[in-house]
């Protein structure tokens, strides 16, 4: 048996790295199983090219917990190591890598999230173990080797007895890490990180029920047998060709990824590219709500079937982080900081490839089955609208399939909408005005007023719609969006014909004074007297488009003027000077009666806008009963 000192100049490199290298100690298991997988896949390659004259067979990786002995074993049947290789890969590479890491990153280490970047995968064992042993036998005809190290720079190395090739790593779990001696904890980690590793991983055994023999009696128990408990699926759907998969295979895989998810996804997109980078994966469109925050971090990122993270920001365009699924690429430099990632050329290409693939898929779904696409629109629109806002390339492509629904449930593409409304909804300045509502019920009377004129009203109700309208107005010629309650209908789409007011200027001044007296100084209403058709409502409360939209944009982040999100609501009270009720108010002799008519009329307008609540609503009801007595 030989002993030696690992050639590092920092004596206390172990505690230093334990502290800095990994914020998450649990990933030691992922690292060691990744090494075992690599060793097995290397053997597969060497036997396939005839360099290793051994039978590859069906190797597996086994993880065993020895709670009594406070040990965790990880065994593979891969290429193994000779004594020379142990000295080289374990003593030199792993530990010089550790030192290089410390010298380079020092205090910044805990923020960089670097994993395995300096050949440190094996070293991570010391985060949870006070002593680590390796028993390994190479596929070459050389004696087995036993290496041992107790977390100081000293190690021992000797020949060993071992049946069969491969490597066994024995971790003597440290006192502060005994959670890793619990089977449930190890099982949880194996499922989290290794669920789709390409080599079968055994963790204990399980009981399997066999079919009853034909001559069995009804109350005979079904026979059972103990079988290996293989915790992973070595051939997940994304590693197969789309042509070899049916719809049900995609559904099954979705449930494998998200066992607690009961709703089926709406559709999937299979990614498969090998030039100019390697990337495979399957993305699913789940049913989405209008809440932009709760959906994220559902896409899992893998590197050669090893789970790395579910924080895919920077790799997947932001608007697609609301989707679910898997992306696997050996070309994403996963072991470096986020800022480096976002500047990386390969990552930018990957991001734009994914954007293009999603746009193409949406376009083909729209073209092949428009009716089905329209049914799904409400569940997917938030992703598409977000994409149109944030990615110019996607915005261009979405022109073909982005839909604009009306309050009556018809769906138009932008080109179809333009053709439909341009003749009637172009104003005197040759601008096409797109009318919309954000709430069919609350804005019902305004919608009806627009429909009475023969206008189409869209239903646009997602939280980012104000931003998207701004973008459409700036990127398309002569178009503006106006919510139906932003003004009275003749002002929203101004035509040449002017209405003549029945009231003289003097009468209008008197009326305005009367209204303002009743409203009082604290009122948030700006009174506007307008000549309209006598059949139009006498009082209408409107919310100016510009101010309201800026406020909405401020509230959903970005856009808008500074601090507008906190501004009080601003309303216009539009008074139809051609309505007989308005004439009656003006001619009422007693101030008391006039005040009652004005209050009642304004409250009716507020009721129509959904603004009458609480005590004011109670008073209005009481006053209404008094009037009908």
């Amino acid at each position: 048996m030989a002993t030696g000192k690992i050639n590092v100049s920092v004596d206390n490199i172990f505690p230093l790295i334990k502290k800095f290298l990994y914020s998450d100690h649990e990933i030691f298991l992922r690292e060691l199983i990744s090494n075992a997988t690599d060793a097995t896949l290397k053997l597969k390659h060497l036997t396939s090219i005839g360099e290793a004259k051994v039978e590859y067979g069906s190797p597996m990786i086994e993880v065993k917990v020895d709670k009594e002995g406070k040990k965790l074993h990880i065994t593979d049947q891969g290429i193994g190591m000779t004594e020379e290789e142990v000295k080289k890969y374990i003593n030199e590479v792993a530990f010089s890598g550790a030192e290089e890491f410390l010298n380079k990153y020092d205090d910044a280490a805990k923020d960089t999230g670097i994993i395995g970047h300096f050949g440190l995968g094996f070293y991570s064992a010391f985060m949870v173990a006070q002593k680590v042993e390796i028993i390994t036998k190479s596929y070459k005809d050389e004696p087995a080797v036993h290496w041992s190290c107790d977390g100081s720079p000293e190690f021992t190395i000797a020949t060993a007895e071992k049946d069969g090739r491969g490597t066994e790593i024995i971790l003597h779990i440290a006192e502060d890490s005994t959670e890793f001696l619990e089977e449930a904890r190890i099982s949880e980690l194996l499922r989290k990180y290794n669920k789709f590793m390409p080599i079968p991983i055994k963790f204990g055994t399980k009981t399997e029920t066999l079919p009853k023999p034909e001559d069995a009696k009804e109350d005979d128990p079904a026979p059972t047998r103990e079988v290996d408990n293989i915790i992973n699926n070595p051939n997940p759907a994304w590693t197969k060709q789309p042509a070899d998969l049916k719809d049900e295979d995609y559904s099954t895989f979705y449930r494998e990824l998200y066992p607690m998810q009961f709703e089926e996804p709406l559709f999937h997109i299979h990614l498969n590219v090998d030039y100019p980078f390697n990337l495979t994966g399957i993305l699913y469109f789940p049913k989405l709500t209008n809440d932009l925050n709760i959906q994220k971090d559902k896409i899992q990122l893998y590197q050669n079937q090893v789970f790395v993270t579910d924080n895919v920001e920077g790799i997947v365009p932001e608007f697609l982080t609301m989707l679910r699924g898997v992306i696997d690429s050996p070309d994403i430099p996963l072991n470096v900081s986020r800022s480096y990632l976002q500047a990386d050329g390969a990552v930018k290409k990957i991001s734009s490839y994914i954007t293009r693939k999603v746009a193409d898929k949406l376009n083909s779904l729209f073209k092949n089955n428009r009716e089905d696409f329209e049914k799904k629109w409400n569940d997917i629109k938030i992703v598409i609208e977000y994409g149109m806002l944030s990615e110019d390339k996607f915005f261009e492509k979405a022109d073909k399939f982005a839909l604009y629904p009306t309050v009556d449930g018809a769906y138009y593409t932008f080109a179809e909408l333009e053709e439909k409304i341009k003749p009637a909804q172009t104003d005197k300045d040759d601008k096409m005005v797109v009318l919309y509502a954000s709430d069919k019920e609350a804005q019902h009377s305004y919608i009806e007023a627009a429909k009475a004129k023969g206008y189409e009203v869209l239903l646009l109700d997602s939280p980012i719609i104000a931003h998207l309208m701004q973008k459409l107005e700036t990127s398309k010629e002569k178009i503006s969006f106006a919510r139906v309650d932003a003004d009275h209908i003749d002002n929203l789409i101004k035509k040449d014909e002017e209405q003549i007011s029945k009231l003289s200027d003097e009468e209008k001044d008197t009326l305005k004074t009367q209204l303002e007296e009743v409203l009082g100084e604290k009122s948030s209403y700006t009174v506007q007297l307008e000549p309209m058709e006598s059949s139009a409502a006498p009082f209408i409360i409107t919310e100016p488009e510009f101010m309201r939209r800026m406020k909405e944009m401020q509230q959903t982040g970005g856009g808008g003027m500074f601090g507008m999100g906190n501004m009080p609501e601003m309303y216009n009270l539009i008074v139809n000077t051609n309505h007989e009720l308005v004439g009656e108010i003006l001619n009422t002799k007693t101030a008391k009666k006039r005040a009652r008519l004005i209050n009642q009329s304004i409250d009716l307008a507020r009721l129509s806008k959904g603004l009458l609540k609480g005590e004011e609503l109670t008073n209005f009801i009481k006053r209404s009963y008094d009037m009908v007595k």
Side-chain angles (χ1 to χ4, degrees), residues 315-353:
I315 294 155
V316 172
E318 197 186 347
F319 76 100
L320 294 177
T321 54
M322 290 180 275
L323 302 190
R324 299 194 175 154
V326 165
I327 287 172
D328 188 336
S329 173
D331 291 337
I332 297 175
L334 297 169
N335 301 324
V336 259
S337 69
R338 292 247 150 244
S339 55
Y340 177 90
L341 250 187
Q342 279 149 5
D344 185 76
V347 172
K348 279 205 174 82
K349 285 196 190 95
I350 286 171
S351 180
S352 62
Y353 162 77

Side-chain angles (χ1 to χ4, degrees), residues 200-254:
I201 300 165
K202 174 184 174 182
F203 184 54
T205 58
K206 63 180 177 184
T207 307
E208 196 173 71
T209 306
L210 299 166
K212 285 186 182 184
E214 281 177 23
D215 57 353
K217 296 195 180 83
E218 202 173 313
D219 47 5
D220 281 357
T224 59
R225 65 171 176 192
E226 285 298 297
V227 292
D228 288 344
N229 177 31
I230 302 298
I231 58 98
N232 59 327
N233 168 4
N235 305 301
W238 84 82
T239 62
K240 300 171 184 172
Q241 288 301 317
D244 300 336
L245 295 165
K246 298 186 182 73
D247 279 348
E248 67 206 58
D249 298 321
Y250 288 106
S251 295
T252 305
F253 179 57
Y254 185 76

Side-chain angles (χ1 to χ4, degrees), residues 45 61 94 253 272 457 548:
H45 177 66
I61 294 163
F253 179 57
N272 196 350
V457 180
R548 194 209 74 249

Side-chain angles (χ1 to χ4, degrees), residues 25-307:
H25 285 187
E26 66 178 40
I27 60 94
F28 80 92
L29 190 60
R30 178 187 86 180
E31 292 301 302
L32 297 179
I33 289 179
S34 296
N35 287 352
T37 303
D38 287 347
T40 313
L41 293 173
K42 275 179 187 147
L43 181 70
K44 186 180 190 178
H45 177 66
L46 293 175
T47 52
S48 72
I49 59 170
E51 203 169 297
K53 307 281 185 235
V54 293
E55 210 36 59
Y56 176 66
S58 358
M60 66 164 69
I61 294 163
E62 183 168 10
V63 179
K64 268 198 293 206
V65 174
D66 170 5
K67 201 167 178 179
E68 301 274 294
K70 295 188 176 171
K71 288 184 287 194
L72 185 66
H73 299 250
I74 294 144
T75 311
D76 69 57
Q77 295 158 0
I79 51 175
M81 287 181 280
T82 62
E83 187 174 339
E84 285 313 302
E85 286 167 337
V86 170
K87 286 176 178 168
K88 180 178 174 189
Y89 294 118
I90 301 298
N91 298 342
E92 291 171 28
V93 176
F95 293 114
S96 62
E99 186 164 40
E100 181 191 344
F101 176 91
L102 275 184
N103 293 341
K104 194 163 179 185
Y105 287 92
D106 200 19
D107 276 5
K110 53 183 176 295
D111 301 323
T112 55
I114 294 190
I115 293 167
H117 191 52
F118 292 89
L120 291 177
F122 165 73
Y123 175 75
S124 65
F126 285 97
M127 295 190 304
V128 300
Q130 57 192 1
K131 175 180 170 188
V132 178
E133 297 179 76
I134 300 173
I135 300 166
T136 182
K137 182 171 170 57
S138 170
Y139 72 94
K140 298 169 187 165
D141 192 17
E142 291 205 29
V145 185
H146 180 189
W147 177 95
S148 176
C149 177
D150 64 359
S152 70
E154 277 83 29
F155 66 88
T156 62
I157 194 164
T159 54
E161 290 299 312
K162 179 170 168 32
D163 298 330
R165 63 171 182 261
T167 299
E168 178 176 14
I169 291 181
I170 304 161
L171 309 184
H172 297 258
I173 298 295
E175 284 305 317
D176 63 359
S177 299
T178 52
E179 62 181 286
F180 301 112
L181 291 168
E182 300 298 332
E183 293 207 353
R185 180 76 170 114
I186 296 300
S187 182
E188 174 203 345
L189 293 181
L190 291 171
R191 286 202 165 78
K192 177 175 175 180
Y193 291 111
N194 308 103
K195 193 155 69 167
F196 301 112
M197 296 284 279
I199 305 295
I201 300 165
K202 174 184 174 182
F203 184 54
T205 58
K206 63 180 177 184
T207 307
E208 196 173 71
T209 306
L210 299 166
K212 285 186 182 184
E214 281 177 23
D215 57 353
K217 296 195 180 83
E218 202 173 313
D219 47 5
D220 281 357
T224 59
R225 65 171 176 192
E226 285 298 297
V227 292
D228 288 344
N229 177 31
I230 302 298
I231 58 98
N232 59 327
N233 168 4
N235 305 301
W238 84 82
T239 62
K240 300 171 184 172
Q241 288 301 317
D244 300 336
L245 295 165
K246 298 186 182 73
D247 279 348
E248 67 206 58
D249 298 321
Y250 288 106
S251 295
T252 305
F253 179 57
Y254 185 76
R255 282 194 292 278
E256 216 175 316
L257 280 176
Y258 309 106
M260 303 308 288
Q261 193 60 39
F262 302 112
E263 274 196 339
E264 286 289 308
L266 299 166
F267 49 84
H268 62 265
I269 297 165
H270 198 127
L271 307 167
N272 196 350
V273 63
D274 48 21
Y275 181 81
F277 46 79
N278 270 300
L279 179 118
T280 52
I282 299 169
L283 293 179
Y284 293 92
F285 263 78
K287 277 193 164 186
L288 291 167
T289 65
N290 271 347
D291 187 340
L292 287 165
N293 300 315
I294 58 167
Q295 311 291 345
K296 295 190 176 174
D297 292 344
K298 294 284 192 216
I299 295 178
Q300 300 175 8
L301 195 57
Y302 287 77
Q303 189 183 53
N304 294 326
Q305 292 175 239
V306 183
F307 173 77

Side-chain angles (χ1 to χ4, degrees), residues 594-612:
R594 186 186 311 115
R596 199 176 66 196
L597 280 175
I598 290 174
N599 278 322
Q600 192 71 0
S601 303
I602 291 172
D603 280 354
L604 283 164
R606 290 167 74 198
L607 194 61
S608 164
K609 182 86 176 80
L611 294 171
L612 203 56

